[in-house]
């Protein structure tokens, strides 16, 4: 069976700090441009978004949907249309053992009717219309029990499990295993989301995660961020097949990852004071900022190290493959010495998609000679280095995203810089 890429954790415009442009037609359009075969709907419990999903999507298989044909954007790229799987993130905030716990969970559901049922049950514990990611004042174990009562086929995936403030195993949440968090219902958890600030190799070091499928998703707050992390699957594009892969590992091929250093919480530090620290440096300072004396934010690498039972580089027998990539506009920018958000990088990005195909295919598979003819020698060399892992990394910390370097200023000048980009015919 052919493989496809799936991004299961995204958001709608009804979530806080998200783009107003997120709607089903644009999600369909961007999924095609990225090369995704399956995407989560995001925010499936929000009444406004759920109503919009019901109006815009039609069944396309068991538990999956496609966009209504008449709603497709005129300039939608050709190719196989993506499928939508009903999904949404929820936040549990509660007290246990004299500590406040803040845990985010990704819920996967077998259809829009199941979302209606789950919303009806969970609506008793929080205001579903206040945020696309609703907050419930209830223990994770009780939240999972309510979801399973409403929909026994549901799958719950602890989200971005190492993020310091809102995750199952982050430094400020305190749980050290699925069993600690979910108690007697831990057996219903089959997968965990590693998050942007860690990769599978970091998670392999932690024995408490053995036997769980390690998934990666974009957690996109705008359509253009789709697919920055994704899962590679060799299953049918339907809910039962996906859930079977998460529960057994069969058909789950691997993941596409950020460099974890790009994540906003990879290292320790204090953003306000511009302090970025390794775990060893944090320990030497007693966990306080050397500038202001306040408590430092303990990052993902530090927390993984604290719970690790294996040395770096050791992998379990059932470990899946993964590949580290960087979004194409960032590759363009780091290869030409220009802004990733600027007009020049945007124009070249559009040209590459138009002439070379979907972004994730370009990043992973397209011949470098094809890239050189379309985007010039700098971008071709930058992409070669990205694929080979020949990158310079400035790690993120305390909410400050990290950066990937590909070519130096001198190398860019030697290869002709932006002037080396071929003119369009």
């Amino acid at each position: 069976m052919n493989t496809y890429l799936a991004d299961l954790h995204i958001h709608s415009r009804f979530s806080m700090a998200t783009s107003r442009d997120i709607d089903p037609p644009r999600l369909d359009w961007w999924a095609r441009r990225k090369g995704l075969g399956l995407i989560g709907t995001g925010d499936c419990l929000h009444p406004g978004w759920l109503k919009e999903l019901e109006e815009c999507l039609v069944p396309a298989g068991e538990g999956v949907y496609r966009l209504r044909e008449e709603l497709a954007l005129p300039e939608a790229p050709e190719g196989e249309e993506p499928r939508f799987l009903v999904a949404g993130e929820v936040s549990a905030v509660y007290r246990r053992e004299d500590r406040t716990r803040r845990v985010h969970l990704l819920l996967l559901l077998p259809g829009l009717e199941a979302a209606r049922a789950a919303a009806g049950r969970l609506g008793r514990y929080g205001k579903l219309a206040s945020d696309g990611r609703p907050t419930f004042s209830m223990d994770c174990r009780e939240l999972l029990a309510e979801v399973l009562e409403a929909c026994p086929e549901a799958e719950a995936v602890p989200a971005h499990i190492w993020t310091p403030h809102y995750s199952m195993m982050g430094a400020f949440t305190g749980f050290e295993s699925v069993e600690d968090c979910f108690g007697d219902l831990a057996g219903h958890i089959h997968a965990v989301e590693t998050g942007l600030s860690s990769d599978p190799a970091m998670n392999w070091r932690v024995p408490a995660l053995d036997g769980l499928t390690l998934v990666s998703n974009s957690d996109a707050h705008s359509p253009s961020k789709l697919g920055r992390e994704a899962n590679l699957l060799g299953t049918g594009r339907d809910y039962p097949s996906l859930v079977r892969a998460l529960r057994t590992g069969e058909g789950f091929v691997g993941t596409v990852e950020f460099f974890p250093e790009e994540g906003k919480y990879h290292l320790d530090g204090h953003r306000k004071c511009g302090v970025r620290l390794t775990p060893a440096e944090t320990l030497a300072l007693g966990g306080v900022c050397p500038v202001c004396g306040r408590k430092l934010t303990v990052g993902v690498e530090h927390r993984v190290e604290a719970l690790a039972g294996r040395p770096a580089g050791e992998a379990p027998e059932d470990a899946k493959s993964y590949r580290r990539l960087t979004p194409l506009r960032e590759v363009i920018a780091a290869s030409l010495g220009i802004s990733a958000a600027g007009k020049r990088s945007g124009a070249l990005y559009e040209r590459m998609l138009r002439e070379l195909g979907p972004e994730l295919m370009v990043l992973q598979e397209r011949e470098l000679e094809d890239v050189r003819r379309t985007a010039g020698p700098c971008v071709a060399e930058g992409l070669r280095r990205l694929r080979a892992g020949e990158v310079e990394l400035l790690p993120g910390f305390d909410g400050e995203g990290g950066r990937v370097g590909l070519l130096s200023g001198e190398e860019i000048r030697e290869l002709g810089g932006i002037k080396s980009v071929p003119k369009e015919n």
Side-chain angles (χ1 to χ4, degrees):
M1 179 177 292
N2 293 331
T3 58
Y4 64 91
L5 288 162
D7 183 357
L8 305 174
H9 182 178
I10 72 170
H11 287 281
S12 75
R13 65 182 182 281
F14 292 98
S15 279
M16 295 176 62
T18 56
S19 168
R20 300 301 91 188
D21 293 334
I22 306 178
D23 58 29
R26 288 186 179 89
L27 289 174
D28 171 88
W29 189 70
W30 273 101
R32 292 170 186 256
R33 285 156 60 84
K34 296 288 184 174
L36 295 168
L38 181 69
I39 60 172
T41 60
D43 299 349
C44 65
L45 301 182
H46 190 279
W49 185 240
L50 182 52
K51 182 175 183 293
E52 192 167 336
L53 294 173
E54 291 170 334
E55 293 172 347
C56 294
L57 304 180
V58 294
E62 192 171 354
V64 295
Y65 300 82
R66 62 172 176 80
L67 184 71
R68 290 184 181 275
E69 291 183 7
E70 63 271 24
L71 297 178
L73 298 180
E75 66 274 27
E78 296 181 0
E80 192 169 26
E81 60 185 349
R83 298 290 185 261
F84 288 81
L85 184 138
V86 180
E89 187 182 22
V90 298
S91 176
V93 179
Y94 57 102
R95 296 281 294 180
R96 194 203 288 183
E97 298 171 351
D98 296 326
R99 294 187 64 177
T100 298
R101 316 287 183 164
R102 298 179 176 88
V103 180
H104 285 184
L105 299 176
L106 174 65
L107 304 181
L108 307 178
L109 299 168
L112 293 170
E113 290 185 4
R116 282 284 178 198
R121 195 167 188 95
L122 292 175
R124 298 178 293 177
Y125 302 96
K127 296 180 179 180
L128 299 182
S130 63
D131 187 6
R133 184 202 299 110
T135 297
F136 302 111
S137 299
M138 58 192 305
D139 190 290
C140 276
R141 190 263 176 213
E142 303 310 318
L143 175 55
L144 178 58
E146 291 289 343
V147 171
L148 294 174
E149 187 67 29
C151 179
E153 299 83 16
E155 190 73 9
V157 180
H160 43 72
I161 60 169
W162 299 107
T163 301
H165 302 287
Y166 292 95
S167 68
M168 182 178 71
M169 298 177 74
F172 298 133
T173 294
F175 294 121
E176 298 187 0
S177 69
V178 171
E179 290 74 19
D180 287 348
C181 186
F182 293 96
D184 61 322
L185 294 185
H188 290 276
I189 302 297
H190 307 98
V192 294
E193 183 183 69
T194 59
L196 301 179
S197 294
S198 82
D199 62 14
M202 294 171 66
N203 288 264
W204 293 339
R205 300 188 62 196
V206 181
L209 302 178
D210 288 355
L212 297 168
T213 300
L214 303 178
V215 304
S216 295
N217 301 296
S218 68
D219 197 358
H221 286 211
S222 66
S224 64
K225 299 296 185 182
L226 286 177
R228 57 184 178 176
E229 290 201 338
N231 308 284
L232 183 62
L233 292 150
T235 70
R237 288 191 299 165
D238 58 78
Y239 184 82
S241 296
L242 172 72
V243 168
R244 190 179 308 115
L246 296 182
R247 292 178 179 178
T248 68
E250 296 178 10
F252 191 92
V253 180
T255 54
V256 172
E257 305 278 336
F258 253 30
F259 287 87
E261 291 85 354
E262 285 187 87
K264 293 182 177 181
Y265 292 99
H266 184 71
L267 288 186
D268 307 340
H270 190 191
R271 179 172 50 169
K272 185 177 181 180
C273 294
V275 174
R276 177 192 289 107
L277 300 167
T278 65
E281 291 170 331
T282 297
L283 292 173
L285 291 168
V288 298
C289 175
V291 176
C292 68
R294 294 186 177 182
K295 188 176 181 180
L296 292 163
T297 296
V298 174
V300 170
E301 185 173 277
H302 192 151
R303 181 63 171 164
V304 168
E305 185 69 39
L307 299 183
R310 300 188 182 98
E314 186 173 319
E317 291 184 3
D318 60 349
K320 304 295 183 180
S321 64
Y322 70 96
R323 190 167 193 173
R324 297 190 186 102
L325 295 175
T326 294
L328 183 55
R329 282 194 67 159
E330 294 179 23
V331 172
I332 293 169
S335 301
L336 291 169
I338 59 178
S339 168
K343 291 183 178 179
R344 291 185 295 180
S345 62
L348 186 52
Y349 175 77
E350 294 297 332
R351 179 179 176 183
M352 292 180 73
L353 294 191
R354 187 169 60 251
E355 298 185 11
L356 300 177
E359 177 173 344
L360 287 165
M361 186 272 284
V362 172
L363 288 170
Q364 299 183 85
E365 303 171 16
R366 195 75 190 201
E367 293 290 338
L368 291 176
E369 181 57 28
D370 294 336
V371 174
R372 187 194 65 78
R373 283 195 294 265
T374 299
C378 289
V379 176
E381 173 61 14
L383 186 53
R384 185 200 68 77
R385 293 185 186 186
L386 177 74
R387 292 175 179 177
E390 299 171 5
V391 302
E392 294 184 1
L393 298 164
L394 182 65
F397 68 103
D398 194 23
E400 181 77 24
R403 294 196 296 274
V404 172
L406 292 172
L407 274 70
S408 69
E410 182 178 350
E411 290 171 324
I412 292 170
R413 287 191 294 273
E414 289 177 353
L415 289 172
I418 192 70
K419 295 180 180 179
S420 70
V421 177
K423 294 183 179 180
E424 293 194 68
N425 296 327

PDB file of all heavy atoms in Angstrom, residues 257-276:
ATOM      1  N   GLU A 257       9.958  15.487  11.185  1.00  0.00           N
ATOM      2  CA  GLU A 257      10.209  16.256  12.406  1.00  0.00           C
ATOM      3  C   GLU A 257      10.851  17.604  12.119  1.00  0.00           C
ATOM      4  O   GLU A 257      11.586  17.766  11.136  1.00  0.00           O
ATOM      5  CB  GLU A 257      11.174  15.478  13.322  1.00  0.00           C
ATOM      6  CG  GLU A 257      10.746  14.078  13.678  1.00  0.00           C
ATOM      7  CD  GLU A 257       9.750  14.053  14.818  1.00  0.00           C
ATOM      8  OE1 GLU A 257       9.727  15.024  15.608  1.00  0.00           O
ATOM      9  OE2 GLU A 257       9.005  13.067  14.935  1.00  0.00           O
ATOM     10  N   PHE A 258      10.601  18.552  12.996  1.00  0.00           N
ATOM     11  CA  PHE A 258      11.458  19.716  13.159  1.00  0.00           C
ATOM     12  C   PHE A 258      12.827  19.230  13.652  1.00  0.00           C
ATOM     13  O   PHE A 258      12.939  18.155  14.249  1.00  0.00           O
ATOM     14  CB  PHE A 258      10.894  20.607  14.270  1.00  0.00           C
ATOM     15  CG  PHE A 258      10.247  21.884  13.824  1.00  0.00           C
ATOM     16  CD1 PHE A 258       9.618  21.993  12.611  1.00  0.00           C
ATOM     17  CD2 PHE A 258      10.253  22.987  14.661  1.00  0.00           C
ATOM     18  CE1 PHE A 258       9.013  23.170  12.225  1.00  0.00           C
ATOM     19  CE2 PHE A 258       9.653  24.182  14.289  1.00  0.00           C
ATOM     20  CZ  PHE A 258       9.027  24.260  13.067  1.00  0.00           C
ATOM     21  N   PHE A 259      13.866  20.021  13.467  1.00  0.00           N
ATOM     22  CA  PHE A 259      15.018  19.875  14.336  1.00  0.00           C
ATOM     23  C   PHE A 259      14.528  20.316  15.719  1.00  0.00           C
ATOM     24  O   PHE A 259      13.982  21.425  15.858  1.00  0.00           O
ATOM     25  CB  PHE A 259      16.175  20.761  13.878  1.00  0.00           C
ATOM     26  CG  PHE A 259      16.850  20.271  12.636  1.00  0.00           C
ATOM     27  CD1 PHE A 259      16.379  20.639  11.377  1.00  0.00           C
ATOM     28  CD2 PHE A 259      17.936  19.413  12.721  1.00  0.00           C
ATOM     29  CE1 PHE A 259      16.996  20.183  10.229  1.00  0.00           C
ATOM     30  CE2 PHE A 259      18.562  18.949  11.568  1.00  0.00           C
ATOM     31  CZ  PHE A 259      18.081  19.325  10.320  1.00  0.00           C
ATOM     32  N   PRO A 260      14.662  19.481  16.753  1.00  0.00           N
ATOM     33  CA  PRO A 260      14.084  19.860  18.053  1.00  0.00           C
ATOM     34  C   PRO A 260      14.613  21.178  18.587  1.00  0.00           C
ATOM     35  O   PRO A 260      13.936  21.861  19.348  1.00  0.00           O
ATOM     36  CB  PRO A 260      14.453  18.679  18.967  1.00  0.00           C
ATOM     37  CG  PRO A 260      15.571  17.978  18.276  1.00  0.00           C
ATOM     38  CD  PRO A 260      15.344  18.188  16.810  1.00  0.00           C
ATOM     39  N   GLU A 261      15.827  21.544  18.165  1.00  0.00           N
ATOM     40  CA  GLU A 261      16.385  22.823  18.587  1.00  0.00           C
ATOM     41  C   GLU A 261      15.569  24.000  18.071  1.00  0.00           C
ATOM     42  O   GLU A 261      15.656  25.107  18.616  1.00  0.00           O
ATOM     43  CB  GLU A 261      17.838  22.941  18.109  1.00  0.00           C
ATOM     44  CG  GLU A 261      18.804  22.002  18.791  1.00  0.00           C
ATOM     45  CD  GLU A 261      18.852  20.613  18.141  1.00  0.00           C
ATOM     46  OE1 GLU A 261      18.043  20.338  17.218  1.00  0.00           O
ATOM     47  OE2 GLU A 261      19.696  19.799  18.567  1.00  0.00           O
ATOM     48  N   GLU A 262      14.787  23.794  17.013  1.00  0.00           N
ATOM     49  CA  GLU A 262      13.930  24.865  16.494  1.00  0.00           C
ATOM     50  C   GLU A 262      12.750  25.160  17.411  1.00  0.00           C
ATOM     51  O   GLU A 262      12.144  26.226  17.334  1.00  0.00           O
ATOM     52  CB  GLU A 262      13.389  24.484  15.113  1.00  0.00           C
ATOM     53  CG  GLU A 262      14.362  24.565  13.980  1.00  0.00           C
ATOM     54  CD  GLU A 262      13.679  24.343  12.653  1.00  0.00           C
ATOM     55  OE1 GLU A 262      13.163  25.324  12.075  1.00  0.00           O
ATOM     56  OE2 GLU A 262      13.635  23.194  12.191  1.00  0.00           O
ATOM     57  N   GLY A 263      12.378  24.193  18.235  1.00  0.00           N
ATOM     58  CA  GLY A 263      11.222  24.366  19.103  1.00  0.00           C
ATOM     59  C   GLY A 263      11.427  25.474  20.126  1.00  0.00           C
ATOM     60  O   GLY A 263      12.560  25.820  20.492  1.00  0.00           O
ATOM     61  N   LYS A 264      10.335  26.003  20.614  1.00  0.00           N
ATOM     62  CA  LYS A 264      10.391  27.156  21.516  1.00  0.00           C
ATOM     63  C   LYS A 264      10.820  26.820  22.940  1.00  0.00           C
ATOM     64  O   LYS A 264      11.069  27.727  23.742  1.00  0.00           O
ATOM     65  CB  LYS A 264       9.029  27.838  21.565  1.00  0.00           C
ATOM     66  CG  LYS A 264       8.612  28.497  20.261  1.00  0.00           C
ATOM     67  CD  LYS A 264       7.266  29.179  20.412  1.00  0.00           C
ATOM     68  CE  LYS A 264       6.867  29.897  19.129  1.00  0.00           C
ATOM     69  NZ  LYS A 264       5.574  30.596  19.266  1.00  0.00           N
ATOM     70  N   TYR A 265      10.910  25.534  23.255  1.00  0.00           N
ATOM     71  CA  TYR A 265      11.228  25.163  24.636  1.00  0.00           C
ATOM     72  C   TYR A 265      12.316  24.091  24.695  1.00  0.00           C
ATOM     73  O   TYR A 265      12.332  23.276  25.617  1.00  0.00           O
ATOM     74  CB  TYR A 265       9.964  24.671  25.354  1.00  0.00           C
ATOM     75  CG  TYR A 265       8.946  25.760  25.568  1.00  0.00           C
ATOM     76  CD1 TYR A 265       7.855  25.896  24.708  1.00  0.00           C
ATOM     77  CD2 TYR A 265       9.082  26.680  26.602  1.00  0.00           C
ATOM     78  CE1 TYR A 265       6.919  26.903  24.891  1.00  0.00           C
ATOM     79  CE2 TYR A 265       8.154  27.692  26.795  1.00  0.00           C
ATOM     80  CZ  TYR A 265       7.071  27.794  25.931  1.00  0.00           C
ATOM     81  OH  TYR A 265       6.146  28.801  26.105  1.00  0.00           O
ATOM     82  N   HIS A 266      13.222  24.087  23.746  1.00  0.00           N
ATOM     83  CA  HIS A 266      14.222  23.016  23.733  1.00  0.00           C
ATOM     84  C   HIS A 266      15.180  23.135  24.913  1.00  0.00           C
ATOM     85  O   HIS A 266      15.370  22.188  25.672  1.00  0.00           O
ATOM     86  CB  HIS A 266      14.992  23.013  22.423  1.00  0.00           C
ATOM     87  CG  HIS A 266      15.961  21.881  22.310  1.00  0.00           C
ATOM     88  ND1 HIS A 266      15.555  20.576  22.149  1.00  0.00           N
ATOM     89  CD2 HIS A 266      17.321  21.844  22.369  1.00  0.00           C
ATOM     90  CE1 HIS A 266      16.601  19.788  22.099  1.00  0.00           C
ATOM     91  NE2 HIS A 266      17.696  20.532  22.234  1.00  0.00           N
ATOM     92  N   LEU A 267      15.815  24.285  25.069  1.00  0.00           N
ATOM     93  CA  LEU A 267      16.741  24.493  26.182  1.00  0.00           C
ATOM     94  C   LEU A 267      16.066  25.254  27.318  1.00  0.00           C
ATOM     95  O   LEU A 267      14.930  25.714  27.202  1.00  0.00           O
ATOM     96  CB  LEU A 267      17.976  25.259  25.704  1.00  0.00           C
ATOM     97  CG  LEU A 267      18.967  24.497  24.813  1.00  0.00           C
ATOM     98  CD1 LEU A 267      20.200  25.365  24.552  1.00  0.00           C
ATOM     99  CD2 LEU A 267      19.383  23.168  25.430  1.00  0.00           C
ATOM    100  N   ASP A 268      16.778  25.388  28.423  1.00  0.00           N
ATOM    101  CA  ASP A 268      16.314  26.166  29.563  1.00  0.00           C
ATOM    102  C   ASP A 268      16.585  27.646  29.313  1.00  0.00           C
ATOM    103  O   ASP A 268      17.365  28.009  28.440  1.00  0.00           O
ATOM    104  CB  ASP A 268      17.049  25.749  30.842  1.00  0.00           C
ATOM    105  CG  ASP A 268      17.000  24.254  31.099  1.00  0.00           C
ATOM    106  OD1 ASP A 268      16.109  23.582  30.530  1.00  0.00           O
ATOM    107  OD2 ASP A 268      17.852  23.762  31.856  1.00  0.00           O
ATOM    108  N   GLY A 269      15.950  28.494  30.134  1.00  0.00           N
ATOM    109  CA  GLY A 269      16.304  29.900  30.038  1.00  0.00           C
ATOM    110  C   GLY A 269      15.258  30.843  30.566  1.00  0.00           C
ATOM    111  O   GLY A 269      14.265  30.441  31.171  1.00  0.00           O
ATOM    112  N   HIS A 270      15.496  32.114  30.304  1.00  0.00           N
ATOM    113  CA  HIS A 270      14.599  33.190  30.695  1.00  0.00           C
ATOM    114  C   HIS A 270      14.587  34.188  29.545  1.00  0.00           C
ATOM    115  O   HIS A 270      15.551  34.951  29.358  1.00  0.00           O
ATOM    116  CB  HIS A 270      15.070  33.837  31.996  1.00  0.00           C
ATOM    117  CG  HIS A 270      14.077  34.789  32.572  1.00  0.00           C
ATOM    118  ND1 HIS A 270      14.356  35.654  33.601  1.00  0.00           N
ATOM    119  CD2 HIS A 270      12.763  35.010  32.264  1.00  0.00           C
ATOM    120  CE1 HIS A 270      13.288  36.374  33.893  1.00  0.00           C
ATOM    121  NE2 HIS A 270      12.314  35.997  33.097  1.00  0.00           N
ATOM    122  N   ARG A 271      13.516  34.177  28.757  1.00  0.00           N
ATOM    123  CA  ARG A 271      13.465  34.985  27.544  1.00  0.00           C
ATOM    124  C   ARG A 271      13.567  36.474  27.847  1.00  0.00           C
ATOM    125  O   ARG A 271      14.224  37.218  27.121  1.00  0.00           O
ATOM    126  CB  ARG A 271      12.168  34.691  26.784  1.00  0.00           C
ATOM    127  CG  ARG A 271      12.017  35.497  25.516  1.00  0.00           C
ATOM    128  CD  ARG A 271      10.836  35.054  24.684  1.00  0.00           C
ATOM    129  NE  ARG A 271       9.607  34.942  25.445  1.00  0.00           N
ATOM    130  CZ  ARG A 271       8.409  34.773  24.903  1.00  0.00           C
ATOM    131  NH1 ARG A 271       8.294  34.695  23.590  1.00  0.00           N
ATOM    132  NH2 ARG A 271       7.339  34.678  25.651  1.00  0.00           N
ATOM    133  N   LYS A 272      12.910  36.941  28.907  1.00  0.00           N
ATOM    134  CA  LYS A 272      12.902  38.370  29.224  1.00  0.00           C
ATOM    135  C   LYS A 272      14.315  38.901  29.414  1.00  0.00           C
ATOM    136  O   LYS A 272      14.615  40.045  29.053  1.00  0.00           O
ATOM    137  CB  LYS A 272      12.063  38.622  30.473  1.00  0.00           C
ATOM    138  CG  LYS A 272      11.893  40.088  30.815  1.00  0.00           C
ATOM    139  CD  LYS A 272      10.981  40.278  32.019  1.00  0.00           C
ATOM    140  CE  LYS A 272      10.797  41.749  32.347  1.00  0.00           C
ATOM    141  NZ  LYS A 272       9.905  41.938  33.528  1.00  0.00           N
ATOM    142  N   CYS A 273      15.180  38.074  29.961  1.00  0.00           N
ATOM    143  CA  CYS A 273      16.559  38.495  30.213  1.00  0.00           C
ATOM    144  C   CYS A 273      17.519  38.031  29.117  1.00  0.00           C
ATOM    145  O   CYS A 273      18.727  38.292  29.206  1.00  0.00           O
ATOM    146  CB  CYS A 273      17.025  37.956  31.563  1.00  0.00           C
ATOM    147  SG  CYS A 273      16.134  38.678  32.975  1.00  0.00           S
ATOM    148  N   GLY A 274      17.000  37.332  28.101  1.00  0.00           N
ATOM    149  CA  GLY A 274      17.856  36.854  27.021  1.00  0.00           C
ATOM    150  C   GLY A 274      18.822  35.777  27.454  1.00  0.00           C
ATOM    151  O   GLY A 274      19.908  35.636  26.870  1.00  0.00           O
ATOM    152  N   VAL A 275      18.424  34.974  28.434  1.00  0.00           N
ATOM    153  CA  VAL A 275      19.308  33.948  28.986  1.00  0.00           C
ATOM    154  C   VAL A 275      18.924  32.582  28.427  1.00  0.00           C
ATOM    155  O   VAL A 275      17.806  32.104  28.644  1.00  0.00           O
ATOM    156  CB  VAL A 275      19.238  33.932  30.532  1.00  0.00           C
ATOM    157  CG1 VAL A 275      20.042  32.761  31.089  1.00  0.00           C
ATOM    158  CG2 VAL A 275      19.742  35.253  31.095  1.00  0.00           C
ATOM    159  N   ARG A 276      19.835  31.944  27.696  1.00  0.00           N
ATOM    160  CA  ARG A 276      19.658  30.596  27.146  1.00  0.00           C
ATOM    161  C   ARG A 276      20.690  29.686  27.788  1.00  0.00           C
ATOM    162  O   ARG A 276      21.883  29.972  27.754  1.00  0.00           O
ATOM    163  CB  ARG A 276      19.835  30.616  25.628  1.00  0.00           C
ATOM    164  CG  ARG A 276      19.742  29.265  24.956  1.00  0.00           C
ATOM    165  CD  ARG A 276      20.219  29.293  23.518  1.00  0.00           C
ATOM    166  NE  ARG A 276      19.307  30.008  22.635  1.00  0.00           N
ATOM    167  CZ  ARG A 276      19.522  31.204  22.112  1.00  0.00           C
ATOM    168  NH1 ARG A 276      20.651  31.850  22.418  1.00  0.00           N
ATOM    169  NH2 ARG A 276      18.649  31.787  21.304  1.00  0.00           N
TER     170      ARG A 276
END
